[in-house]
Amino acid sequence: MLEIREKLILSRPLYLKDDDCGYCHHKKSQKEAISVQSWSDYYALNHQNQTETPPSISIGFQVENMTVEHYDQLINRGFRRSGTFLYKPDMLRGCCRMYTIRTNMDMFKLTKEHRQTVNKFNKRIGIEGGQDVKGKNGYDLMKELRKMDDSGKLVIKFEPSKFTKEKYKLFTKYQNHVHDDYKTSEKSFKRFLCDTPFSQNDAVIKDNKVLKFGATHQCYYLDSKLIAIGFLDILPSGVSSIYLIYDPDYRDLAMGKISGLKEMELTKKLGLDYYYLGYFIEDCPKMNYKRKFGGELLNLTDLTYHKLDDISDYITNGKYCAINSKNENIVEDLYGINSKEFLKAKEYSDKWPGISYSDVDNSVLITNSDDNSTPYDIPTVIPGVTSLETLFENWNTNQIKSLVFADGMIRPAIYDLETATIRKILIDTIRILGQGLANDAIIFI
Ligand SMILES: [Zn+2]
């Protein structure tokens, strides 16, 4: 058995709705906010008086402990972390489609705008002799980025994911001036950007080598003054960007763009494969900078990645897409009104041994946040969550290796002996995490 610190220790899965979406701020029309065209048409036709739009919806876990390897797998199943909270959007029912996006130097398309930004930055910190931005003789991006480190003016340090007064001061200044947010507190800063669920704690990087994976604060000092921090996770398959803050007095340095390039450079220097930029939302203007990094999006249906350029037609106007092995968009077949997945879910929810899924109504897509549902009602059909059919057809209760923390003790979950509540938690956890990760799990009941 794995040692406790190698376990994925987490709460039961939660299904969370929030009317205050940080991306669209609940300003989309119903038509714009609904994920799939046939559902959108259905609501326009049949619910003309009902104009409510979906809330922001995610599946989440509070995580007490996990390894970087766990998190690496979770990112590639569409999850992200905020402090010690793990979440992934319900791509069907929420207001915004949040696609996992990743890139690297090979997929990146260098534009004149990037070259200008880099040259301007270097000139501003006293580095002369930038290459021609028109790129006629080629433009060696890595060389220009390296000059920043060699200049002596800019010093970039990897610091532990720990609270300091200096970092908090910069965070407050950034939130006040850039996001009009005057409600910062030391506690919220720690919870959002310092706390990590990793058993390995902080990353250790030395001479462009990863000595230990984990979280890190990439701190940018200009003439010894802290001007920006990139909050990063250094994972086996790549560098994951969580957040960036910068000093608004240095707005002209375009730290948002520069830090993205430096993080992509870091990925390459460390010999890692991907730079994870978080989520990409096609109809959110704030995300346009991510498009400029090129890269690929996660297809939740089979957990494969597809080039953003190849599928940009499928995701236009913020729609959800599901791609098959022939690169076709089969979203209507799978998730359209009366589609296969919904019919199958209805059929299999009645078959499920020992518990009832029938209380979950799949005939509606818009669910209000103020209805009577509990945060435990995970719908039967969610993209990227194993279907009841697949689980049922491969079902063998002996395969359950999850442990449960219940009544003050940790014990193996024995499906046939569990209560209906615990059975549902086990099934939902396996469906959401996948069998492999669920095997490592200790679930707080
Ligand atoms: Zn939204």
Side-chain angles (χ1 to χ4, degrees):
M1 204 164 81
L2 294 174
E3 300 228 4
I4 283 284
R5 60 192 303 276
E6 294 170 62
K7 285 283 188 185
L8 175 56
I9 308 175
L10 74 191
S11 69
R12 64 187 291 182
L14 304 169
Y15 190 67
L16 304 162
K17 301 172 194 173
D18 190 348
D19 272 328
D20 183 23
C21 172
Y23 299 105
C24 70
H25 300 287
H26 216 62
K27 289 198 174 117
K28 285 185 189 176
S29 68
Q30 188 186 71
K31 197 168 172 248
E32 291 166 326
I34 294 180
S35 58
V36 179
Q37 195 59 49
S38 59
W39 282 101
S40 195
D41 296 343
Y42 169 80
Y43 273 90
L45 214 76
N46 298 294
H47 297 266
Q48 281 167 354
N49 303 325
Q50 218 180 321
T51 52
E52 76 254 282
T53 53
S56 171
I57 309 183
S58 51
I59 299 170
F61 295 92
Q62 181 59 41
V63 181
E64 298 300 319
N65 185 76
M66 70 177 162
T67 65
V68 288
E69 288 80 12
H70 289 144
Y71 187 51
D72 209 316
Q73 288 185 53
L74 286 160
I75 275 197
N76 290 297
R77 294 181 73 88
F79 282 94
R80 302 286 301 170
R81 75 173 183 93
S82 171
T84 58
F85 191 72
L86 191 67
Y87 64 97
K88 89 184 234 178
D90 180 338
M91 295 287 254
L92 218 47
R93 294 170 191 80
C95 51
C96 291
R97 259 49 64 198
M98 297 154 69
Y99 292 94
T100 296
I101 182 169
R102 68 182 191 187
T103 189
N104 58 30
M105 279 288 182
D106 297 331
M107 287 189 260
F108 175 64
K109 276 188 232 127
L110 186 67
T111 62
K112 192 175 164 192
E113 187 188 337
H114 291 123
R115 295 191 285 262
Q116 279 169 333
T117 307
V118 170
N119 278 18
K120 195 177 158 203
F121 181 93
N122 281 356
K123 201 167 174 199
R124 169 77 170 68
I125 67 166
I127 302 168
E128 295 295 337
Q131 298 166 55
D132 178 16
V133 289
K134 291 194 190 110
K136 278 184 191 148
N137 306 313
Y139 185 96
D140 188 344
L141 176 67
M142 292 297 278
K143 187 177 164 190
E144 291 301 320
L145 292 172
R146 201 159 46 238
K147 283 182 187 172
M148 297 173 189
D149 304 273
D150 297 341
S151 69
K153 297 269 288 178
L154 181 77
V155 176
I156 301 175
K157 286 186 195 164
F158 295 98
E159 298 184 7
S161 178
K162 298 272 172 341
F163 178 90
T164 69
K165 289 268 182 210
E166 191 186 24
K167 289 177 192 173
Y168 178 64
K169 210 174 127 196
L170 182 62
F171 174 71
T172 305
K173 193 174 175 186
Y174 172 80
Q175 292 296 115
N176 290 175
H177 290 88
V178 181
H179 292 297
D180 250 341
D181 168 17
Y182 293 90
K183 284 189 242 156
T184 56
S185 67
E186 290 193 3
K187 202 173 150 194
S188 66
F189 173 65
K190 277 183 204 163
R191 198 189 303 145
F192 175 33
L193 293 166
C194 302
D195 291 351
T196 91
F198 297 130
S199 47
Q200 293 97 331
N201 293 319
D202 300 314
V204 180
I205 294 168
K206 212 180 160 195
D207 302 330
N208 292 329
K209 284 199 179 63
V210 185
L211 303 185
K212 199 165 75 137
F213 292 108
T216 190
H217 291 172
Q218 188 178 25
C219 297
Y220 295 76
Y221 294 89
L222 185 63
D223 297 322
S224 306
K225 185 180 189 313
L226 180 65
I227 59 155
I229 308 172
F231 298 86
L232 306 177
D233 285 331
I234 312 294
L235 304 171
S237 77
V239 172
S240 167
S241 163
I242 300 166
Y243 201 61
L244 172 88
I245 60 173
Y246 58 82
D247 189 330
D249 293 344
Y250 294 80
R251 212 184 275 261
D252 61 322
L253 289 176
M255 278 313 296
K257 291 174 189 161
I258 293 296
S259 68
L261 295 170
K262 290 301 279 181
E263 287 163 12
M264 198 163 53
E265 179 203 29
L266 174 69
T267 308
K268 191 176 168 80
K269 285 204 292 194
L270 297 177
L272 302 175
D273 289 336
Y274 299 104
Y275 170 43
Y276 294 92
L277 294 94
Y279 290 123
F280 176 71
I281 301 171
E282 194 271 343
D283 54 350
C284 178
K286 272 195 283 183
M287 299 273 167
N288 264 332
Y289 81 95
K290 292 190 186 178
R291 192 188 278 280
K292 290 176 186 161
F293 277 84
E296 51 191 19
L297 304 185
L298 178 64
N299 178 39
L300 286 169
T301 311
D302 61 0
L303 304 181
T304 54
Y305 280 88
H306 297 262
K307 294 260 158 54
L308 182 50
D309 284 347
D310 294 347
I311 60 169
S312 61
D313 285 351
Y314 298 160
I315 62 171
T316 307
N317 299 324
K319 287 285 175 268
Y320 182 56
C321 82
I323 301 162
N324 67 7
S325 57
K326 293 179 196 150
N327 272 327
E328 295 158 338
N329 186 8
I330 51 165
V331 69
E332 290 291 350
D333 294 347
L334 292 183
Y335 305 114
I337 204 157
N338 292 325
S339 60
K340 208 170 86 190
E341 292 292 309
F342 287 110
L343 295 174
K344 287 273 181 199
K346 199 169 172 36
E347 183 189 335
Y348 277 86
S349 58
D350 296 334
K351 286 188 189 180
W352 200 265
I355 54 163
S356 166
Y357 266 93
S358 53
D359 55 331
V360 183
D361 187 359
N362 274 313
S363 64
V364 291
L365 205 60
I366 297 183
T367 50
N368 287 332
S369 49
D370 55 358
D371 61 16
N372 291 326
S373 62
T374 73
Y376 308 124
D377 276 342
I378 314 272
T380 46
V381 177
I382 303 184
V385 172
T386 309
S387 70
L388 284 180
E389 181 196 8
T390 305
L391 202 62
F392 187 87
E393 296 302 336
N394 302 293
W395 184 243
N396 173 358
T397 54
N398 296 327
Q399 281 174 356
I400 297 183
K401 303 281 187 286
S402 314
L403 303 178
V404 290
F405 181 86
D407 304 322
M409 60 176 277
I410 296 172
R411 60 167 177 78
I414 303 166
Y415 187 82
D416 298 327
L417 302 181
E418 304 297 344
T419 62
T421 307
I422 297 183
R423 287 180 178 199
K424 174 115 183 347
I425 293 170
L426 284 170
I427 291 170
D428 283 341
T429 305
I430 294 169
R431 292 178 59 215
I432 296 165
L433 298 180
Q435 186 89 52
L437 282 164
N439 282 349
D440 282 0
I442 299 178
I443 308 158
F444 273 75
I445 302 296

